[in-house]
Amino acid sequence: MFLGKFSGKLDANNRFLVPPGFRERVASGVYIAQGFDQNLQVLMADAFQELHRRVMSLNLADPLTRLLLRMILGTASEIKMDKSGFIVIPSELKDYADLHEEILLIGQGEYFEIWAPDLWSKQEIQLKDVEANSSRFSTLTVAIR
């Protein structure tokens, strides 16, 4: 699983060094796509294929479905980690997420996200709002089996 928060740096070629704890899972290749919150999502092939399957099972006549397909599949790229442990972020995705030299990698279990530090700090403000979290998440069913 991809867990935790890691700081990284983009070099002049839009490359970043994959954290050691992520490398084994990333070694066989991953997909990178636009995220929902001006961030990027990096998914293992099986997770990306499952996401693709689920989105393709939606009604293609629905304009919202087509928009979601364009957002996910239209921005996705298959990428490989090089022998030194670096991954290249496509320029269009780098621009979308407003990434510069400093980046943050946030583990999300089956995938991880890439954030610009200033945008992530806004997320952290929400995450640390204990009072709001109680009501915000009360409608979700979270079960531990």
Side-chain angles (χ1 to χ4, degrees), residues 70-91:
R70 291 174 191 131
M71 188 186 101
I72 295 172
L73 300 179
T75 67
S77 294
E78 185 175 8
I79 55 176
K80 302 279 187 194
M81 182 175 68
D82 70 17
K83 292 181 194 310
S84 300
F86 284 88
I87 282 182
V88 176
I89 297 175
S91 293

Side-chain angles (χ1 to χ4, degrees), residues 78-144:
E78 185 175 8
I79 55 176
K80 302 279 187 194
M81 182 175 68
D82 70 17
K83 292 181 194 310
S84 300
F86 284 88
I87 282 182
V88 176
I89 297 175
S91 293
E92 311 81 46
L93 291 175
K94 177 185 173 277
D95 293 344
Y96 164 77
D98 198 27
L99 300 176
H100 300 286
E101 185 178 355
E102 300 291 326
I103 63 170
L104 292 170
L105 280 59
I106 310 297
Q108 298 294 291
E110 292 302 310
Y111 66 98
F112 65 92
E113 297 175 332
I114 302 175
W115 287 84
D118 59 327
L119 295 173
W120 176 251
S121 67
K122 293 175 185 176
Q123 288 292 307
E124 282 190 315
I125 290 169
Q126 288 183 15
L127 294 170
K128 292 177 181 177
D129 187 341
V130 177
E131 291 179 22
N133 284 345
S134 293
S135 61
R136 179 184 294 144
F137 302 127
S138 65
T139 60
L140 300 177
T141 302
V142 180
I144 299 174

